[in-house]
Amino acid sequence: MLYRQRTLNTPHGCIKTPVLFPVRNIGKRSSDNTPAYADAIPDLRTAMVNARAIRQRDPQWNRLLNGATLREEMDIPEETVIFADSGGFDFQAGDVDTTPARTLETQRQIGADILGTVDRPISRENRDRENQRRISDSAEYAVEASDEHDGEELLFASIHGLDPETVQNNVRYLERNGDFDGYALGSLVPVRTDYKKVTSIILAARRATDKHLHVYGLGGLVYQPLLLYLGVDSFDSSAFIRSAGNRNYLVPGFGGQELKHVTELSYLPCSCPVCRDTPFTELREDRNALTKHNLWALTMELRRFRYMVAANEDVEAYLDLRFQGNEVTKRAYRQAKQQVRRLT
Amino acid sequence: MTNDTFSITDEQRDYSQFGLEENPFPYSPVPDNDPALYCGQEHATRAISDTVSTMLSTGKSKHLVVTAKYGNGKSHTLKYTRSLVRDREDVVVGYVAQPGEGFRDIYHEFVYDLGFDRIQTLAYEYLAQVARNTTDCNPTDASTVEQLIDDGEVLLSELVPEAVQQLNNVTKFADFARAIVHMVYEDTNLYAWQWLTAEGIRYEQRKEMEIHSALDDDTTSVRAFTALKNLLLDLGYTGVFVFVDEFESIARLSAKAEQATLNSIRHLMDQNSHGLCMLFGCAPEVWQDVMSEYHAFSERIGQEVALRPLTDDHINKLVSTYIAPARTNGTGGVDPFTEESLSIIHQRSQGNIRQVLSVCSRVLDAAVDEERSRIDADFIQEEI
């Protein structure tokens, strides 16, 4: 097992890793659709935002330029650690409309603690040549960002690749040519059902560097234990919002359950502060409450894993149990185990 | 019922009475993969040397067929020649044990004989060439560029598209170019290898590598072979040697399949006027048929050389060469065989090398069992 615990020192405080960064939609819509969680969930003083989306929303951007802070806009405590990515996912189809310097300027303006470099995600649908170009572009953007960056914030180079060699090569290239506090691995969401590929890519990145490793977009319930097992230091997820939008109730160990199939139940089987006192019918109607519960579910997943390690329990045996209910994820975990032991 | 019918033991025979540490002759006289000895057939060695040397010195393709009856040393000759050329760094050598069902099988066996590692090394060699031309790095060989990639000194994503493009220009076969480049990726190198060996892969696996065609017939195999040879020439190799043994087995194919196979080889020769040397081992009667019925093919093979049965002198030399490494008593020659005994072996074997070796091996063991001090003519007569 490659699980590890570290401390990440940021301008807005220290956080213990591994840690989840819940995705905040601020900047994307007229209002942030993420309910307040920072005070309710004490070990979740983190947030992931899209720097490009914030800059592109003029009213909000003007307020920020006029002295407002993003933390005030988001109504979160001052000590919340914010990870601002470049919004590269928006460049999947279109052209890059920013520069590494401009993105850094935006990220600093919003008071982000962790800055993700400009990147151009890749996809299996692209021609190989196009993907290779995007991988090279992302690497060069990261090197440019490194040259521009001289602040206290942490700079994470965004890296892409759909195979272990490319990812490993990218990390080592950036180690040589830039100065980064960590690496953020992207483009894995479109291939997330190919567990073997995803875990082999993550493992390649993990083995290529001892620095902080973040994985973009895979912090949902199913992937979280795998990421922890593979030694990933942080991850982000918007699964709790998306699932709530679809009235899906996240249950650790089971994934998302559609509430429309559940009837004649007084209370849901979770002891989080949301479910504890809220009747089932009320919870089902309240999207905000569902979002909060789902975030609790993600947090509980992480807490449980941390507990197993702290209690000196056999984590692999715990994960065997954890994944036994689903053949696909069970196989994924078995493959990850073999990859960690270098058996494949 | 008793079980003493068979007497099975792992106790070794003692050959010390003959001043030998072991029986030096093979019990099953089949050619070694890497033969150390070659005896007689001076006319054949001259013809083979000429064919091989011409290709090496001029780069022009030249081909040869070696004919001989069964047991007279075709395979041994091909394998011995292979052992001489394959240590050269400027050529690539592949051995095809028999032509199979058609050219696709010849191509498959050839690539398989080169092996996964060699093809992967060629892929890295090509990346090294691309890196030399497009970056500030100057990798001299496959392992250097592999190290540069591992260390992150060059970006793989910058080398690969360029490599595919250049390789495509060289080979005129885009799918082949992609398969070669995919040999460097852990995730896809086995699929690439399967495609390159014409074993066939699933559509999804091809899609992963952006390979559009299947390499599953004689025509595409000829194309792939030519592409491989062009890749090698572009890398600075002098050429490719292909040894096709037991060529007579094409006679068991249907007339249509036989013609198709010969036509494919002919196309291959036509497409490769430089850098290709094919040496065939074939039974003379089949080669006669090919000569009379398939002119287009046989005329492209410049020369035929027939191996001859061994003479008395050859057999003496063969036996003494085999025995020499096993001697412990410092003597030489054919001892414990007498000249007369070898003469009888010659008569009985009619100079067939396989039979000579087989008889020598057998009578040597019999002589040990009977505690004889020499193997003379009488003993040979008794034993064979």
Side-chain angles (χ1 to χ4, degrees):
Chain A
M1 182 177 70
L2 300 175
Y3 174 84
R4 58 190 215 163
Q5 289 171 302
R6 300 262 171 111
T7 302
L8 204 57
N9 294 309
T10 77
H12 285 85
C14 300
I15 44 174
K16 297 278 184 198
T17 64
V19 67
L20 167 71
F21 286 87
V23 169
R24 305 287 300 238
N25 278 327
I26 187 159
K28 278 261 177 183
R29 301 172 186 226
S30 55
S31 66
D32 185 4
N33 60 359
T34 312
Y37 59 80
D39 289 325
I41 308 177
D43 46 352
L44 211 56
R45 290 289 167 97
T46 50
M48 166 71 91
V49 299
N50 177 336
R52 179 173 175 272
I54 293 170
R55 182 160 189 151
Q56 285 197 328
R57 224 176 134 242
D58 287 340
Q60 189 171 49
W61 182 241
N62 288 335
R63 286 199 298 277
L64 292 171
L65 289 180
N66 290 329
T69 72
L70 185 67
R71 287 171 178 77
E72 285 167 6
E73 294 275 317
M74 291 164 72
D75 193 21
I76 54 173
E78 187 58 22
E79 63 270 26
T80 305
V81 172
I82 293 179
F83 185 154
D85 72 8
S86 68
F89 207 70
D90 299 335
F91 307 141
Q92 205 156 28
D95 292 335
V96 177
D97 58 4
T98 183
T99 63
R102 188 160 187 248
T103 296
L104 274 184
E105 179 200 315
T106 307
Q107 289 164 328
R108 281 183 175 154
Q109 181 68 40
I110 61 179
D113 299 280
I114 302 170
L115 322 180
T117 58
V118 177
D119 57 345
R120 301 187 68 201
I122 56 178
S123 120
R124 272 183 169 171
E125 308 314 314
N126 292 344
R127 291 192 60 96
D128 187 51
R129 195 176 180 83
E130 168 65 12
N131 275 343
Q132 301 285 351
R133 194 154 55 86
R134 285 167 174 251
I135 292 165
S136 299
D137 286 350
S138 298
E140 295 311 329
Y141 287 143
V143 173
E144 274 185 56
S146 165
D147 293 342
E148 293 284 335
H149 179 249
D150 54 2
E152 288 179 5
E153 310 89 350
L154 304 180
L155 183 66
F156 285 4
S158 303
I159 50 174
H160 298 272
L162 288 177
D163 63 272
E165 282 81 8
T166 300
V167 166
Q168 208 148 37
N169 171 253
N170 243 261
V171 172
R172 290 183 177 146
Y173 177 84
L174 293 171
E175 283 282 274
R176 282 183 169 274
N177 295 287
D179 185 11
F180 303 100
D181 300 290
Y183 296 90
L185 188 53
S187 296
L188 297 180
V189 174
V191 293
R192 64 186 178 280
T193 51
D194 190 345
Y195 287 97
K196 192 176 181 185
K197 181 174 272 297
V198 170
T199 51
S200 69
I201 291 170
I202 292 171
L203 207 50
R206 177 68 291 163
R207 285 184 170 141
T209 179
D210 190 49
K211 288 183 180 170
H212 187 100
L213 178 64
H214 179 90
V215 170
Y216 284 129
L218 285 186
L221 270 186
V222 175
Y223 258 108
Q224 214 185 87
L226 279 177
L227 299 185
L228 295 167
Y229 180 74
L230 295 171
V232 172
D233 299 300
S234 63
F235 28 84
D236 58 87
S237 176
S238 58
F240 62 106
I241 306 174
R242 285 183 289 102
S243 295
N246 297 328
R247 295 297 182 270
N248 275 358
Y249 182 79
L250 298 186
V251 186
F254 290 89
Q257 302 288 317
E258 290 185 33
L259 286 182
K260 67 181 175 191
H261 299 312
V262 182
T263 53
E264 295 175 8
L265 201 64
S266 301
Y267 286 91
L268 284 161
C270 172
S271 55
C272 80
V274 184
C275 303
R276 190 184 56 200
D277 304 320
T278 316
F280 166 63
T281 46
E282 200 177 306
L283 189 59
R284 187 166 59 180
E285 302 306 318
D286 187 348
R287 184 181 164 281
N288 229 25
L290 263 180
T291 308
K292 277 187 189 172
H293 155 78
N294 285 345
L295 197 48
W296 265 108
L298 294 179
T299 308
M300 294 304 289
E301 188 73 52
L302 184 52
R303 282 187 184 181
R304 208 178 277 181
F305 201 107
R306 282 181 177 149
Y307 171 78
M308 286 297 164
V309 175
N312 216 13
E313 291 290 330
D314 180 345
V315 172
E316 289 196 343
Y318 162 68
L319 290 178
D320 283 336
L321 203 66
R322 203 75 186 69
F323 286 113
Q324 73 173 358
N326 181 314
E327 265 311 308
V328 176
T329 51
K330 187 177 164 184
R331 195 164 52 244
Y333 169 57
R334 206 163 43 218
Q335 282 165 347
K337 244 195 314 195
Q338 289 176 337
Q339 288 164 342
V340 165
R341 291 170 185 165
R342 296 180 193 271
L343 295 176
T344 61
Chain B
M1 193 171 80
T2 61
N3 63 353
D4 56 0
T5 316
F6 292 98
S7 173
I8 295 175
T9 173
D10 61 358
E11 197 178 318
Q12 290 189 357
R13 284 189 175 88
D14 180 7
Y15 298 91
S16 59
Q17 70 202 73
F18 298 134
L20 299 174
E21 56 187 21
E22 61 176 1
N23 184 340
F25 301 102
Y27 289 110
S28 171
V30 290
D32 280 344
N33 260 335
D34 213 355
L37 308 173
Y38 195 78
C39 186
Q41 312 294 356
E42 288 79 7
H43 68 294
T45 58
R46 273 197 304 277
I48 292 169
S49 298
D50 177 63
T51 302
V52 171
S53 304
T54 303
M55 210 286 267
L56 289 174
S57 59
T58 66
K60 290 181 187 170
S61 297
K62 196 167 185 184
H63 317 292
L64 173 79
V65 63
V66 178
T67 59
K69 292 197 175 297
Y70 289 102
N72 271 351
K74 293 187 296 293
S75 298
H76 187 86
T77 302
L78 290 188
K79 287 183 172 177
Y80 187 75
T81 310
R82 176 182 67 158
S83 73
L84 296 180
V85 288
R86 76 169 163 198
D87 291 337
R88 293 181 64 100
E89 288 186 353
D90 63 337
V91 296
V92 165
V93 180
Y95 181 81
V96 178
Q98 53 125 329
E101 305 296 319
F103 186 78
R104 179 176 163 272
D105 285 351
I106 293 177
Y107 169 79
H108 169 85
E109 285 295 313
F110 174 79
V111 180
Y112 228 87
D113 190 56
L114 297 189
F116 179 93
D117 290 346
R118 187 72 196 268
I119 296 286
Q120 192 177 49
T121 301
L122 289 175
Y124 275 114
E125 277 181 38
Y126 205 80
L127 287 185
Q129 181 166 294
V130 172
R132 283 196 295 275
N133 296 337
T134 60
T135 71
D136 297 335
C137 301
N138 192 26
T140 49
D141 55 21
S143 60
T144 320
V145 78
E146 194 175 352
Q147 196 61 50
L148 289 179
I149 293 166
D150 283 351
D151 293 346
E153 286 207 40
V154 290
L155 262 181
L156 191 56
S157 51
E158 280 181 358
L159 286 186
V160 163
E162 197 56 40
V164 171
Q165 181 66 48
Q166 289 186 19
L167 202 46
N168 191 14
N169 292 341
V170 167
T171 63
K172 312 284 185 238
F173 195 174
D175 286 345
F176 180 87
R178 292 198 186 94
I180 287 288
V181 171
H182 271 277
M183 287 299 292
V184 307
Y185 292 110
E186 188 189 315
D187 275 6
T188 46
N189 58 20
L190 284 177
Y191 301 155
W193 169 245
Q194 275 178 276
W195 189 87
L196 285 166
T197 53
E199 276 184 11
I201 56 172
R202 292 204 312 271
Y203 170 74
E204 296 77 32
Q205 295 166 338
R206 273 198 276 134
K207 196 177 165 204
E208 176 117 341
M209 299 184 283
E210 280 195 353
I211 289 177
H212 303 291
S213 61
L215 186 54
D216 59 1
D217 59 18
D218 284 5
T219 309
T220 44
S221 299
V222 169
R223 206 171 157 207
F225 194 106
T226 303
L228 176 61
K229 191 223 71 184
N230 288 343
L231 155 69
L232 292 166
L233 294 196
D234 195 59
L235 283 172
Y237 287 85
T238 307
V240 181
F241 285 88
V242 187
F243 294 85
V244 185
D245 206 355
E246 294 185 22
F247 195 64
E248 62 273 9
S249 66
I250 58 159
R252 67 179 165 73
L253 300 178
S254 68
K256 197 177 164 192
E258 184 181 350
Q259 179 127 29
T261 305
L262 297 176
N263 264 334
S264 295
I265 300 173
R266 177 172 71 82
H267 286 311
L268 182 78
M269 290 170 173
D270 289 352
Q271 287 173 24
N272 296 280
S273 58
H274 281 77
L276 178 64
C277 179
M278 295 189 81
L279 281 89
F280 299 87
C282 186
E285 54 275 18
V286 173
W287 185 244
Q288 285 305 319
D289 290 345
V290 171
M291 292 263 281
S292 56
E293 291 175 32
Y294 302 101
H295 297 283
F297 170 74
S298 59
E299 283 168 3
R300 280 164 176 80
I301 296 183
Q303 212 176 343
E304 174 195 347
V305 63
L307 300 182
R308 294 171 190 154
L310 298 180
T311 62
D312 263 335
D313 280 351
H314 287 144
I315 290 178
N316 278 12
K317 193 176 168 200
L318 178 77
V319 170
S320 63
T321 312
Y322 261 94
I323 290 178
R327 285 202 190 280
T328 56
N329 60 3
T331 59
V334 295
D335 188 56
F337 292 88
T338 63
E339 297 278 344
E340 294 76 28
S341 67
L342 290 182
S343 213
I344 291 172
I345 290 174
H346 182 210
Q347 288 165 23
R348 300 298 286 265
S349 65
Q350 296 186 319
N352 182 299
I353 190 167
R354 183 176 292 159
Q355 288 183 33
V356 171
L357 292 172
S358 179
V359 170
C360 287
S361 177
R362 190 150 45 90
V363 295
L364 186 65
D365 278 358
V368 168
D369 292 344
E370 295 189 18
E371 297 178 350
R372 287 184 167 260
S373 57
R374 290 178 71 77
I375 299 172
D376 55 23
D378 291 341
F379 184 65
I380 295 280
Q381 295 282 17
E382 283 170 30
E383 287 301 315
I384 54 178

